[in-house]
Structure formats: structure tokens, C-alpha cells
Coordinates of all heavy atoms in Angstrom, one line a residue:
M1 N -98.4 -7.6 117.0 CA -98.6 -8.0 115.6 C -99.5 -6.9 115.0 O -100.5 -6.4 115.6 CB -99.3 -9.3 115.4 CG -99.6 -9.6 114.0 SD -100.3 -11.2 113.7 CE -98.8 -12.1 113.5
F2 N -99.1 -6.5 113.8 CA -99.8 -5.3 113.1 C -101.1 -5.8 112.5 O -101.3 -6.8 111.9 CB -98.9 -4.8 112.0 CG -99.6 -3.8 111.2 CD1 -99.9 -2.5 111.7 CD2 -99.9 -3.9 109.9 CE1 -100.5 -1.5 111.0 CE2 -100.5 -3.0 109.1 CZ -100.8 -1.8 109.7
N3 N -102.2 -5.0 112.8 CA -103.5 -5.2 112.2 C -103.9 -4.0 111.4 O -104.1 -3.0 112.0 CB -104.5 -5.4 113.5 CG -105.9 -5.6 112.9 OD1 -106.1 -5.8 111.7 ND2 -106.9 -5.7 113.8
P4 N -103.9 -4.1 110.1 CA -104.2 -3.0 109.2 C -105.6 -2.6 109.2 O -106.0 -1.5 108.7 CB -103.7 -3.5 107.9 CG -104.0 -5.0 107.9 CD -103.6 -5.4 109.3
R5 N -106.6 -3.4 109.8 CA -108.0 -3.1 109.8 C -108.3 -1.7 110.2 O -109.1 -1.0 109.5 CB -108.7 -4.2 110.5 CG -110.3 -4.2 110.3 CD -110.5 -4.7 108.9 NE -111.9 -4.4 108.6 CZ -112.5 -4.0 107.5 NH1 -111.7 -3.9 106.5 NH2 -113.7 -3.8 107.3
P6 N -107.9 -1.2 111.4 CA -108.3 0.1 111.8 C -107.9 1.2 110.8 O -108.6 2.1 110.6 CB -107.6 0.3 113.1 CG -107.3 -1.1 113.7 CD -107.1 -1.9 112.4
L7 N -106.7 1.1 110.2 CA -106.3 2.0 109.2 C -107.1 1.9 108.0 O -107.5 3.0 107.4 CB -104.8 1.9 108.9 CG -103.9 2.2 110.1 CD1 -102.4 1.9 109.7 CD2 -104.0 3.6 110.6
E8 N -107.4 0.7 107.6 CA -108.3 0.6 106.4 C -109.7 1.2 106.6 O -110.2 1.9 105.7 CB -108.4 -0.9 106.0 CG -107.1 -1.5 105.5 CD -107.2 -3.1 105.5 OE1 -108.1 -3.6 106.0 OE2 -106.2 -3.7 104.9
E9 N -110.2 1.0 107.8 CA -111.6 1.5 108.1 C -111.5 3.1 108.1 O -112.4 3.8 107.7 CB -112.0 1.0 109.4 CG -112.4 -0.5 109.4 CD -112.8 -1.1 110.8 OE1 -112.6 -0.4 111.8 OE2 -113.1 -2.2 110.8
F10 N -110.4 3.6 108.7 CA -110.2 5.1 108.8 C -110.2 5.7 107.4 O -110.8 6.6 107.0 CB -109.0 5.4 109.6 CG -108.7 6.9 109.6 CD1 -109.5 7.8 110.3 CD2 -107.6 7.4 108.9 CE1 -109.3 9.1 110.3 CE2 -107.3 8.8 108.9 CZ -108.1 9.6 109.6
I11 N -109.4 5.0 106.5 CA -109.2 5.5 105.1 C -110.6 5.4 104.4 O -110.9 6.4 103.7 CB -108.2 4.7 104.3 CG1 -106.7 5.0 105.0 CG2 -108.2 4.9 102.9 CD1 -105.7 4.0 104.5
A12 N -111.3 4.4 104.6 CA -112.7 4.3 104.0 C -113.6 5.4 104.5 O -114.4 5.9 103.7 CB -113.2 2.9 104.3
Q13 N -113.5 5.7 105.7 CA -114.3 6.8 106.4 C -114.0 8.1 105.7 O -114.9 8.9 105.4 CB -114.2 6.8 107.8 CG -114.9 5.7 108.6 CD -114.7 5.9 110.1 OE1 -113.6 6.1 110.6 NE2 -115.8 5.7 110.9
V14 N -112.7 8.4 105.6 CA -112.2 9.6 105.0 C -112.7 9.7 103.5 O -113.2 10.7 103.1 CB -110.7 9.7 105.1 CG1 -110.1 10.9 104.3 CG2 -110.3 9.9 106.5
T15 N -112.5 8.6 102.8 CA -112.9 8.6 101.4 C -114.4 8.8 101.3 O -114.9 9.6 100.4 CB -112.5 7.2 100.8 OG1 -111.1 7.1 100.9 CG2 -113.0 7.2 99.3
S16 N -115.2 8.2 102.1 CA -116.7 8.4 102.1 C -117.1 9.8 102.5 O -118.0 10.4 101.8 CB -117.3 7.4 103.2 OG -118.7 7.6 103.3
N17 N -116.4 10.4 103.5 CA -116.7 11.8 103.8 C -116.4 12.7 102.7 O -117.1 13.7 102.4 CB -115.9 12.2 105.0 CG -116.7 12.0 106.3 OD1 -117.6 11.2 106.3 ND2 -116.3 12.7 107.3
E18 N -115.2 12.5 102.0 CA -114.8 13.4 100.8 C -115.9 13.2 99.8 O -116.3 14.2 99.1 CB -113.5 12.9 100.3 CG -112.4 13.4 101.2 CD -111.0 13.0 100.7 OE1 -110.9 12.0 100.0 OE2 -110.0 13.6 101.1
A19 N -116.4 12.0 99.5 CA -117.3 11.8 98.4 C -118.6 12.5 98.7 O -119.3 13.0 97.9 CB -117.6 10.3 98.2
G20 N -119.0 12.6 100.0 CA -120.2 13.3 100.4 C -120.0 14.7 100.8 O -120.9 15.4 101.3
N21 N -118.8 15.3 100.5 CA -118.5 16.7 100.7 C -118.7 17.0 102.2 O -119.1 18.2 102.5 CB -119.3 17.6 99.8 CG -118.7 17.5 98.4 OD1 -117.6 17.4 98.2 ND2 -119.6 17.7 97.4
K22 N -118.5 16.1 103.1 CA -118.6 16.4 104.5 C -117.4 17.2 105.0 O -116.3 16.9 104.6 CB -118.9 15.1 105.3 CG -120.2 14.5 105.0 CD -120.4 13.3 105.8 CE -121.7 12.6 105.4 NZ -121.9 11.4 106.2
K23 N -117.5 18.1 106.0 CA -116.4 18.9 106.5 C -115.8 18.2 107.7 O -114.7 18.7 108.1 CB -116.8 20.2 106.7 CG -117.4 21.0 105.5 CD -117.4 22.5 105.6 CE -118.0 23.1 104.4 NZ -117.1 23.3 103.3
E24 N -116.4 17.3 108.3 CA -115.9 16.7 109.6 C -116.0 15.2 109.5 O -116.8 14.6 108.8 CB -116.8 17.1 110.8 CG -116.5 18.5 111.3 CD -117.3 18.7 112.6 OE1 -117.9 17.8 113.1 OE2 -117.2 19.8 113.1
L25 N -115.1 14.6 110.3 CA -115.1 13.2 110.5 C -115.0 12.9 112.0 O -114.0 13.4 112.6 CB -113.9 12.5 109.7 CG -113.7 11.0 110.0 CD1 -114.9 10.2 109.5 CD2 -112.5 10.5 109.4
R26 N -115.9 12.2 112.5 CA -115.9 11.9 114.0 C -115.7 10.5 114.1 O -116.4 9.6 113.4 CB -117.2 12.3 114.6 CG -117.3 13.8 114.7 CD -118.6 14.2 115.4 NE -118.8 15.6 115.3 CZ -119.2 16.4 116.3 NH1 -119.5 15.9 117.4 NH2 -119.3 17.7 116.2
I27 N -114.8 10.1 115.0 CA -114.5 8.7 115.3 C -114.6 8.5 116.8 O -114.3 9.5 117.6 CB -113.2 8.2 114.7 CG1 -112.0 9.1 115.2 CG2 -113.3 8.2 113.2 CD1 -110.7 8.6 114.8
S28 N -114.8 7.3 117.2 CA -114.9 7.1 118.7 C -113.4 7.0 119.2 O -112.5 6.9 118.5 CB -115.5 5.7 119.0 OG -114.7 4.7 118.5
N29 N -113.3 7.2 120.6 CA -112.1 7.1 121.3 C -111.4 5.7 121.0 O -110.2 5.5 120.9 CB -112.2 7.3 122.7 CG -112.4 8.8 123.0 OD1 -112.0 9.7 122.2 ND2 -112.9 9.1 124.2
D30 N -112.2 4.7 121.0 CA -111.7 3.3 120.8 C -111.1 3.2 119.4 O -110.1 2.6 119.2 CB -112.9 2.3 120.9 CG -112.5 0.9 120.8 OD1 -111.5 0.5 121.5 OD2 -113.0 0.1 120.0
A31 N -111.8 3.7 118.4 CA -111.3 3.7 117.0 C -110.0 4.5 116.9 O -109.1 4.1 116.3 CB -112.4 4.1 116.0
A32 N -110.0 5.7 117.6 CA -108.8 6.5 117.6 C -107.6 5.9 118.2 O -106.5 5.9 117.7 CB -109.1 7.9 118.3
R33 N -107.9 5.1 119.3 CA -106.8 4.4 120.0 C -106.3 3.3 119.1 O -105.0 3.1 119.0 CB -107.4 3.8 121.3 CG -106.5 2.8 122.0 CD -105.1 3.2 122.4 NE -104.9 4.5 122.8 CZ -103.8 5.3 122.5 NH1 -102.8 4.8 121.9 NH2 -103.7 6.5 123.0
K34 N -107.1 2.6 118.4 CA -106.7 1.5 117.5 C -105.9 2.1 116.3 O -104.8 1.5 115.9 CB -107.8 0.7 116.9 CG -108.5 -0.2 118.0 CD -109.7 -0.9 117.5 CE -110.4 -1.7 118.5 NZ -111.7 -2.3 118.0
I35 N -106.3 3.2 115.8 CA -105.5 3.9 114.7 C -104.2 4.4 115.2 O -103.1 4.2 114.6 CB -106.3 5.1 114.2 CG1 -107.5 4.6 113.4 CG2 -105.5 5.9 113.2 CD1 -108.6 5.7 113.1
A36 N -104.1 5.0 116.4 CA -102.9 5.5 117.0 C -101.9 4.3 117.3 O -100.7 4.4 117.0 CB -103.2 6.2 118.3
D37 N -102.5 3.2 117.8 CA -101.6 2.0 118.0 C -101.1 1.5 116.7 O -99.9 1.0 116.7 CB -102.5 0.9 118.7 CG -102.8 1.2 120.2 OD1 -102.2 2.2 120.7 OD2 -103.6 0.6 120.8
S38 N -101.9 1.4 115.7 CA -101.4 0.9 114.4 C -100.3 1.8 113.8 O -99.3 1.3 113.3 CB -102.6 0.9 113.4 OG -103.5 -0.1 113.8
I39 N -100.5 3.1 113.9 CA -99.5 4.1 113.4 C -98.2 4.0 114.2 O -97.1 4.0 113.7 CB -100.0 5.5 113.4 CG1 -101.1 5.6 112.4 CG2 -98.9 6.5 113.2 CD1 -101.9 7.0 112.4
G40 N -98.3 3.8 115.6 CA -97.2 3.7 116.4 C -96.4 2.4 116.1 O -95.2 2.4 116.0
Y41 N -97.1 1.3 115.9 CA -96.5 0.0 115.5 C -95.7 0.2 114.2 O -94.6 -0.2 114.0 CB -97.5 -1.0 115.3 CG -96.9 -2.4 115.0 CD1 -96.3 -3.2 116.0 CD2 -96.8 -2.8 113.7 CE1 -95.8 -4.4 115.7 CE2 -96.3 -4.0 113.4 CZ -95.7 -4.8 114.3 OH -95.2 -6.0 114.0
L42 N -96.3 0.9 113.2 CA -95.7 1.1 111.9 C -94.4 1.9 112.0 O -93.4 1.7 111.4 CB -96.6 1.7 110.9 CG -97.8 0.8 110.4 CD1 -98.8 1.7 109.5 CD2 -97.2 -0.3 109.6
L43 N -94.5 3.0 112.8 CA -93.3 3.8 113.0 C -92.3 3.1 113.7 O -91.1 3.3 113.3 CB -93.7 5.1 113.9 CG -94.6 6.1 113.2 CD1 -95.1 7.2 114.1 CD2 -93.8 6.7 112.0
L44 N -92.5 2.3 114.7 CA -91.5 1.5 115.3 C -90.9 0.5 114.4 O -89.7 0.4 114.3 CB -92.1 0.7 116.5 CG -91.2 -0.2 117.3 CD1 -90.1 0.6 117.9 CD2 -92.0 -0.9 118.4
T45 N -91.7 -0.1 113.6 CA -91.2 -1.1 112.6 C -90.3 -0.4 111.5 O -89.2 -0.9 111.2 CB -92.4 -1.8 111.9 OG1 -93.2 -2.5 112.9 CG2 -91.9 -2.9 110.9
L46 N -90.8 0.7 111.1 CA -90.0 1.5 110.1 C -88.7 2.0 110.7 O -87.6 1.8 110.1 CB -90.8 2.8 109.7 CG -90.0 3.7 108.7 CD1 -89.7 3.1 107.5 CD2 -90.9 5.0 108.6
T47 N -88.6 2.4 111.9 CA -87.4 2.8 112.6 C -86.4 1.6 112.7 O -85.2 1.7 112.4 CB -87.7 3.4 114.0 OG1 -88.5 4.5 113.8 CG2 -86.4 3.8 114.7
Q48 N -86.9 0.5 113.2 CA -86.1 -0.7 113.3 C -85.6 -1.2 112.0 O -84.4 -1.6 111.8 CB -86.9 -1.8 113.9 CG -87.2 -1.6 115.4 CD -88.2 -2.7 115.9 OE1 -88.9 -3.3 115.3 NE2 -88.2 -2.7 117.3
S49 N -86.4 -1.0 110.9 CA -85.9 -1.4 109.6 C -84.9 -0.5 109.0 O -83.9 -1.0 108.5 CB -87.1 -1.4 108.6 OG -88.1 -2.4 108.9
Q50 N -85.0 0.8 109.3 CA -84.0 1.7 108.8 C -82.7 1.4 109.6 O -81.6 1.6 109.0 CB -84.4 3.2 109.1 CG -85.5 3.7 108.2 CD -86.1 5.0 108.6 OE1 -86.2 5.4 109.7 NE2 -86.5 5.8 107.6
E51 N -82.7 1.2 110.9 CA -81.5 0.9 111.6 C -80.9 -0.4 111.1 O -79.6 -0.4 111.0 CB -81.8 0.7 113.1 CG -82.2 2.0 113.8 CD -82.7 1.8 115.2 OE1 -82.9 0.6 115.7 OE2 -82.9 2.8 115.9
Q52 N -81.6 -1.3 110.7 CA -81.1 -2.6 110.2 C -80.5 -2.3 108.8 O -79.4 -2.9 108.6 CB -82.3 -3.6 110.0 CG -81.9 -5.0 110.1 CD -83.0 -5.9 110.1 OE1 -84.2 -5.6 109.7 NE2 -82.9 -7.2 110.6
I53 N -81.1 -1.5 108.0 CA -80.6 -1.2 106.6 C -79.3 -0.5 106.8 O -78.3 -0.7 106.1 CB -81.6 -0.4 105.9 CG1 -82.7 -1.3 105.4 CG2 -80.9 0.3 104.7 CD1 -83.9 -0.5 104.8
Q54 N -79.2 0.5 107.8 CA -78.0 1.3 108.0 C -76.9 0.3 108.4 O -75.7 0.5 108.0 CB -78.2 2.4 109.0 CG -79.0 3.5 108.5 CD -79.3 4.6 109.5 OE1 -79.2 4.3 110.7 NE2 -79.8 5.7 109.0
K55 N -77.2 -0.6 109.3 CA -76.1 -1.6 109.7 C -75.6 -2.4 108.6 O -74.4 -2.6 108.4 CB -76.6 -2.4 110.9 CG -75.6 -3.4 111.5 CD -76.2 -4.3 112.5 CE -75.2 -5.3 113.1 NZ -74.3 -6.0 112.1
L56 N -76.5 -2.9 107.8 CA -76.2 -3.8 106.7 C -75.3 -3.0 105.6 O -74.4 -3.5 105.1 CB -77.4 -4.3 105.9 CG -78.2 -5.4 106.8 CD1 -79.5 -5.7 106.1 CD2 -77.3 -6.6 106.9
Q57 N -75.7 -1.7 105.4 CA -74.9 -0.9 104.5 C -73.5 -0.6 105.0 O -72.5 -0.7 104.3 CB -75.6 0.5 104.3 CG -76.9 0.3 103.3 CD -77.5 1.7 103.2 OE1 -77.6 2.5 104.1 NE2 -78.2 1.9 102.0
S58 N -73.4 -0.4 106.3 CA -72.1 -0.2 107.0 C -71.3 -1.5 106.9 O -70.1 -1.5 106.5 CB -72.3 0.2 108.4 OG -71.1 0.3 109.1
D59 N -71.9 -2.7 107.1 CA -71.2 -3.9 107.1 C -70.7 -4.2 105.6 O -69.6 -4.7 105.4 CB -72.1 -5.1 107.6 CG -72.3 -5.0 109.0 OD1 -71.7 -4.2 109.7 OD2 -73.2 -5.7 109.5
L60 N -71.6 -3.8 104.7 CA -71.2 -4.0 103.2 C -70.1 -3.2 102.8 O -69.2 -3.6 102.2 CB -72.5 -3.7 102.3 CG -72.3 -3.9 100.9 CD1 -72.0 -5.3 100.5 CD2 -73.5 -3.5 100.1
Q61 N -70.1 -1.9 103.3 CA -69.0 -1.0 103.0 C -67.6 -1.5 103.5 O -66.6 -1.4 103.0 CB -69.2 0.4 103.5 CG -70.3 1.2 102.6 CD -70.7 2.5 103.2 OE1 -70.3 2.9 104.3 NE2 -71.4 3.3 102.4
K62 N -67.7 -2.0 104.8 CA -66.5 -2.5 105.4 C -65.9 -3.8 104.7 O -64.8 -4.0 104.7 CB -66.8 -2.9 106.9 CG -67.1 -1.7 107.8 CD -67.4 -2.1 109.2 CE -67.8 -0.9 110.0 NZ -68.2 -1.3 111.4
S63 N -66.8 -4.6 104.1 CA -66.4 -5.8 103.4 C -66.0 -5.6 102.0 O -65.4 -6.5 101.4 CB -67.6 -6.9 103.5 OG -68.6 -6.5 102.7
Q64 N -66.3 -4.4 101.4 CA -65.9 -4.2 100.0 C -64.4 -3.8 99.9 O -63.9 -3.2 100.8 CB -66.8 -3.1 99.4 CG -68.2 -3.5 99.2 CD -69.0 -2.4 98.6 OE1 -68.7 -1.2 98.8 NE2 -70.1 -2.7 97.9
V65 N -63.8 -4.2 98.8 CA -62.5 -3.8 98.5 C -62.5 -2.4 98.2 O -63.2 -1.9 97.2 CB -61.9 -4.7 97.4 CG1 -60.5 -4.2 97.0 CG2 -61.8 -6.1 97.8
S66 N -61.7 -1.5 98.8 CA -61.7 -0.1 98.6 C -60.4 0.3 97.8 O -60.4 1.4 97.3 CB -61.9 0.7 99.8 OG -60.9 0.4 100.7
E67 N -59.4 -0.5 97.8 CA -58.1 -0.1 97.2 C -57.5 -1.3 96.6 O -57.4 -2.4 97.2 CB -57.2 0.5 98.3 CG -56.0 1.1 97.8 CD -55.2 1.8 98.8 OE1 -55.7 2.4 99.7 OE2 -54.0 1.5 98.8
I68 N -57.1 -1.2 95.4 CA -56.3 -2.3 94.7 C -55.0 -1.8 94.3 O -54.8 -0.7 93.8 CB -57.1 -2.7 93.5 CG1 -58.5 -3.3 93.9 CG2 -56.3 -3.8 92.7 CD1 -59.4 -3.7 92.8
E69 N -54.0 -2.5 94.5 CA -52.6 -2.1 94.2 C -52.0 -3.1 93.2 O -52.2 -4.4 93.4 CB -51.7 -2.1 95.5 CG -50.4 -1.6 95.2 CD -49.5 -1.5 96.5 OE1 -50.2 -1.1 97.5 OE2 -48.3 -1.8 96.4
L70 N -51.5 -2.6 92.1 CA -50.9 -3.6 91.1 C -49.4 -3.2 91.0 O -49.0 -2.1 91.0 CB -51.5 -3.3 89.7 CG -53.0 -3.7 89.7 CD1 -53.5 -3.2 88.3 CD2 -53.3 -5.1 89.9
Q71 N -48.6 -4.3 90.9 CA -47.2 -4.1 90.6 C -47.0 -4.4 89.2 O -47.3 -5.5 88.7 CB -46.5 -5.0 91.6 CG -46.6 -4.6 93.0 CD -45.8 -5.6 93.9 OE1 -45.2 -6.5 93.5 NE2 -45.7 -5.2 95.1
G72 N -46.5 -3.4 88.5 CA -46.4 -3.5 87.0 C -45.2 -4.4 86.5 O -45.4 -5.1 85.5
G73 N -44.1 -4.4 87.2 CA -43.0 -5.3 86.7 C -42.4 -4.5 85.5 O -42.5 -3.4 85.3
K74 N -41.7 -5.4 84.7 CA -41.0 -4.8 83.5 C -41.6 -5.3 82.2 O -42.1 -6.4 82.1 CB -39.5 -5.2 83.5 CG -38.8 -4.7 84.7 CD -37.3 -5.1 84.6 CE -36.5 -4.6 85.8 NZ -35.1 -5.0 85.7
F75 N -41.6 -4.4 81.2 CA -42.1 -4.8 79.9 C -40.9 -4.9 78.9 O -40.0 -4.3 78.9 CB -43.0 -3.7 79.3 CG -44.4 -3.7 80.0 CD1 -44.6 -2.9 81.1 CD2 -45.4 -4.6 79.6 CE1 -45.8 -2.9 81.7 CE2 -46.6 -4.6 80.2 CZ -46.8 -3.8 81.3

């Protein structure tokens, strides 16, 4: 399950550092691991969602009428 807290904390740290004109940001290995795990989870979820969207688009294209033929008859 995705936990956004590590990313929120990282963003807050970056924002704080920028406000203080600091040139470096140091984080613990534990915090870095949590951030990496969160990003990895998001990438996996994004990839799965993209694959699902592509499959749905393909299914939709297959189900749409692509050619209509009319017989005119006589006037």
C-alpha cells in the first residue's frame, strides 16, 4: 500500500532548504529507503495503469464500428 508521508516529508525538507538558501539536503538512509520505495511503488502503479489504459483503448477500437455500407436502391 502506498504511503505518501515519506514523499511529503521530503518535499517539505526541500522547500525548507530552498527558503533558507541552503545548498545541501541530507537525509538518513532510512528516509532515503522510504522515499525510494514510495517512488518505486508509484512507478509500478503508473506502468500498470498505462497497460490497463492501452488494453481498454485497444478493446474499444475493436468494438467500434469502423465501416458502414449503405445500399441506395432506386429513386
Side-chain angles (χ1 to χ4, degrees):
M1 176 176 269
F2 176 66
N3 178 7
R5 191 73 188 140
L7 294 176
E8 292 168 348
E9 290 172 356
F10 175 71
I11 292 168
Q13 286 178 317
V14 170
T15 302
S16 175
N17 266 24
E18 286 177 335
N21 288 326
K22 295 181 181 177
K23 299 197 184 276
E24 277 187 7
L25 172 66
R26 292 182 184 222
I27 58 174
S28 68
N29 284 339
D30 184 53
R33 169 54 40 214
K34 289 177 182 176
I35 292 167
D37 289 347
S38 295
I39 292 171
Y41 181 85
L42 288 174
L43 288 173
L44 177 63
T45 302
L46 175 63
T47 301
Q48 290 172 340
S49 294
Q50 287 175 328
E51 289 171 355
Q52 205 172 24
I53 288 169
Q54 288 173 346
K55 183 185 180 311
L56 290 171
Q57 285 176 331
S58 176
D59 292 347
L60 181 63
Q61 286 176 348
K62 289 176 186 175
S63 69
Q64 288 180 338
V65 175
S66 59
E67 188 175 316
I68 298 175
E69 185 177 322
L70 298 174
Q71 295 180 351
K74 296 183 181 181
F75 286 94

